Amino acid sequence: MAENKKIKKCPVSLQPDIENLLQEMTADDFAPASSQEKDNFIQDRQSVSYWKDAWRRLKKNVVAMVALGVIIFLFLFAFLGPVLVPYGYDEFNKGAENLYPTHYTLEDQKRVDEEIAARTQSEVVDVDAMIEKAKAEAEAKGEKFGRKEEAILRAKAKTAAKDTSNNETEEDVDQDAIRKELGIKKHIFGYSNAELERKAAGEKVFPHVFGTDMYGRDILVRVMYGARVSMSVGVFAALLVLIIGALYGSISGYCGGKVDAVMQRIVELIYAVPEMLVVLLIATALKPILTDYVNSAGGGPMKSFVNVLGPNLISMFIAFGLLYWVTMSRIIRGQVLQLKQQEYVTAARALGASGGRIIRRHLLPNCIGQIVVTTCLQIPSAIFLESFLSYLGVGVSAPLPSLGSMATDALSGMYTYTYRLIVPSVILSIMILAFNLFGDGLRDALDPKLKK
C-alpha cells in the first residue's frame, strides 16, 4: 500500500512531479528506439527559397489570385485578341455603321422602318382626304373654308384617332410587335448587308460583338487596342519608376549627409512641378520635331513607330521618366535609412564591400516589398493619367484608340448608344482595381516582416 501511494507535491512548487512520473512509466518506455522511429524522429524537409515562400503565401491570398487571373485575362484580351478578330482598329466597314451589340439586321430593320412609315403615312393621307372632302362640300354649299376650319378639322381628326386608337406615330408604334407580324427573328450580334451576303454564301464572318461606331469600326477590336495602349503605358511607366526611383532613393539614403540633403531638395522641386502642364509643354515642343522626322525622306520601323504613337504619347513617356519616380525614391530612401544601421550592413562594410555592392546585395533586396507594391500601384496611376489625357484629347493620336478617347467619342451619342461609354469605362475600372488588389497581395507576400 505504501509503495503505490503517490507522493503529494507542494501546490506552489515549480519543480516537475518527477516521482509520480517515474511510478507511471513501464519498462517498455525505456526500451531502445527502433530504426523506423529514429528515421521518423527528425524529418528532412526541402529547403524553401525566398521567392518560393513568397509564392506559397501569395497563393493563399484569394483576392490577389483572382486579381492576377483578371490581369492575365486582360493581357490576353489586349495582345492576343486582335489576332483572332479579323477587323482592324482603323478599318471602316461600309454598311455596318452604328450597329448595336444585340439588334436586328439592317435588312430587317429596313423592313420595319418601311412598315412604320407606311402606317403613319396612311394616317396622314386620310386626314388630307378629309380636309379636301370638307373643302369641296363647303364650296358646294357656298360656305367659307379657311385655315381656321382646316385646323379645327385636323384637331378633331387627331382627337378621334386617339380615342379609337387607330392613329399611331413613329414613337407610339411597337416595333417588336411589327417584327413578330413580319416574322423577323432577333439576331444576337450585328452584321452589315455585305457581311450577310458573305454569310449566306457560306463564308465565315466574325460578328460585331460590341457593335460598331458611326464609321463602321468594330468596337471590340478598338477596345482591345485601347486596353493594349493603357497597359503598355502603365507597364512602361512602372519600369521607369522602378529603375530611376530605386537607384535615386537608395543612393540618397545610403550616402546621407549633404548628398542626401541636395538630392532631396531636387525631389521637392520636382514634386512642385504640375504633371499635366509638363506633358502638354513637352507635347507642344515635340510635335513639330516629330512631324518633320516622320515626313522626312526614307522609311523604317522607327518612323512608323513614332507615327503611330504620336507626340502626345511620347511626351507622356518622357514626363513619366522626369516626374513619376519621386514617390518611389522617397519610400526607398526611408527604408535604406533604417536598414543601413543594421549589423549585416556594418559587417559587409567592415569586410571591404563597396557601397554599390551593399546597395545591390543587402539594401534593395530587403526593400523588395515596398518596391513591388509601389511599382504595382504606379501602373494603375499611369493608366488613369493616360486615359484622362486621351479623354481630354491630348493623349494618343487618332486613329489609334484609347479607352479614354473611346469614352470621349461615346459622349456624343450617350443616350442612344449608351453601351459605347459603358464598355471602355468598365474595362478601365476593372483593370485599375485588379492592379491595385494584386499589388496589395504582393506586398503581403514579399514583405519579410509579414512572414508567418
Side-chain angles (χ1 to χ4, degrees), residues 84-115:
L84 304 177
V85 181
Y87 303 113
Y89 67 87
D90 56 349
E91 178 182 348
F92 292 177
N93 299 304
K94 188 177 181 180
E97 295 84 359
N98 295 323
L99 289 180
Y100 284 92
T102 303
H103 77 299
Y104 295 86
T105 62
L106 296 180
E107 292 180 350
D108 294 339
Q109 186 63 44
K110 185 177 181 181
R111 291 171 57 192
V112 174
D113 294 339
E114 290 175 353
E115 180 67 20

Side-chain angles (χ1 to χ4, degrees), residues 91-100 210-219 222 405-406 408-414 416-417 419-420:
E91 178 182 348
F92 292 177
N93 299 304
K94 188 177 181 180
E97 295 84 359
N98 295 323
L99 289 180
Y100 284 92
F210 288 163
T212 58
D213 60 6
M214 66 180 69
Y215 303 108
R217 297 176 297 189
D218 187 80
I219 295 179
R222 291 182 63 80
S405 62
M406 292 185 67
T408 303
D409 296 338
L411 291 179
S412 58
M414 184 175 63
T416 306
Y417 308 102
Y419 63 93
R420 295 181 185 174

Side-chain angles (χ1 to χ4, degrees), residues 126-162:
D126 292 340
V127 175
D128 293 338
M130 291 172 59
I131 293 174
E132 293 295 333
K133 183 178 179 181
K135 187 181 293 187
E137 292 176 355
E139 290 177 356
K141 295 179 181 180
E143 298 177 356
K144 183 180 179 181
F145 189 88
R147 293 185 178 180
K148 180 179 178 181
E149 289 75 14
E150 181 180 348
I152 293 173
L153 187 60
R154 287 184 180 276
K156 288 182 179 180
K158 186 175 182 180
T159 304
K162 285 187 176 180

Side-chain angles (χ1 to χ4, degrees), residues 47-356:
S47 60
V48 180
S49 65
Y50 172 78
W51 295 105
K52 287 184 179 180
D53 185 52
W55 173 245
R56 176 185 60 82
R57 283 183 279 120
L58 180 63
K59 288 191 295 185
K60 294 181 180 180
N61 192 332
V62 180
V63 176
M65 293 306 295
V66 172
L68 177 60
V70 173
I71 292 173
I72 293 174
F73 171 77
L74 289 175
F75 264 104
L76 295 177
F77 175 79
F79 291 92
L80 187 61
V83 180
L84 304 177
V85 181
Y87 303 113
Y89 67 87
D90 56 349
E91 178 182 348
F92 292 177
N93 299 304
K94 188 177 181 180
E97 295 84 359
N98 295 323
L99 289 180
Y100 284 92
T102 303
H103 77 299
Y104 295 86
T105 62
L106 296 180
E107 292 180 350
D108 294 339
Q109 186 63 44
K110 185 177 181 181
R111 291 171 57 192
V112 174
D113 294 339
E114 290 175 353
E115 180 67 20
I116 294 174
R119 293 187 182 187
T120 55
Q121 184 67 24
S122 64
E123 293 151 7
V124 174
V125 171
D126 292 340
V127 175
D128 293 338
M130 291 172 59
I131 293 174
E132 293 295 333
K133 183 178 179 181
K135 187 181 293 187
E137 292 176 355
E139 290 177 356
K141 295 179 181 180
E143 298 177 356
K144 183 180 179 181
F145 189 88
R147 293 185 178 180
K148 180 179 178 181
E149 289 75 14
E150 181 180 348
I152 293 173
L153 187 60
R154 287 184 180 276
K156 288 182 179 180
K158 186 175 182 180
T159 304
K162 285 187 176 180
D163 293 338
T164 57
S165 300
N166 292 328
N167 186 21
E168 294 177 320
T169 63
E170 292 187 6
E171 290 79 10
D172 299 329
V173 172
D174 188 355
Q175 296 191 15
D176 292 333
I178 294 178
R179 291 187 181 97
K180 290 181 180 180
E181 293 177 8
L182 298 178
I184 298 175
K185 296 182 180 180
K186 194 172 185 179
H187 289 259
I188 298 177
F189 301 119
Y191 297 94
S192 65
N193 290 335
E195 290 168 339
L196 287 173
E197 295 176 359
R198 289 161 52 197
K199 190 176 178 63
E203 297 183 21
K204 291 185 178 180
V205 181
F206 196 87
H208 301 284
V209 180
F210 288 163
T212 58
D213 60 6
M214 66 180 69
Y215 303 108
R217 297 176 297 189
D218 187 80
I219 295 179
L220 175 62
V221 177
R222 291 182 63 80
V223 168
M224 289 178 177
Y225 275 94
R228 176 187 294 188
V229 170
S230 298
M231 299 185 81
S232 300
V233 170
V235 172
F236 184 79
L239 291 176
L240 285 177
V241 167
L242 174 63
I243 296 172
I244 302 175
L247 290 176
Y248 193 93
S250 59
I251 293 172
S252 176
Y254 181 77
C255 294
K258 294 182 179 180
V259 175
D260 180 45
V262 173
M263 296 180 74
Q264 291 309 303
R265 299 298 80 75
I266 297 174
V267 169
E268 292 171 0
L269 288 175
I270 295 176
Y271 260 122
V273 178
E275 302 165 353
M276 194 78 62
L277 180 62
V278 171
V279 173
L280 295 178
L281 290 177
I282 296 176
T284 304
L286 286 180
K287 189 171 184 179
I289 300 174
L290 294 177
T291 303
D292 294 340
Y293 173 72
V294 172
N295 296 332
S296 62
M302 190 62 185
K303 280 191 177 181
S304 59
F305 179 73
V306 172
N307 189 29
V308 170
L309 291 183
N312 293 331
L313 199 57
I314 294 176
S315 64
M316 202 180 305
F317 289 149
I318 297 175
F320 287 146
L322 292 176
L323 306 176
Y324 263 57
W325 52 267
V326 291
T327 302
M328 169 75 82
S329 67
R330 295 288 291 269
I331 294 175
I332 300 303
R333 171 184 173 271
Q335 292 294 316
V336 170
L337 287 175
Q338 297 178 5
L339 294 174
K340 73 176 186 177
Q341 306 297 333
Q342 299 295 323
E343 290 80 1
Y344 61 86
V345 177
T346 305
R349 191 182 295 112
L351 291 174
S354 62

Side-chain angles (χ1 to χ4, degrees), residues 423-444:
V423 171
S425 301
V426 169
I427 292 180
L428 180 63
S429 302
I430 293 175
M431 187 186 304
I432 293 176
L433 179 62
F435 275 109
N436 280 325
L437 293 177
F438 182 64
D440 188 63
L442 276 180
R443 180 196 60 190
D444 297 339

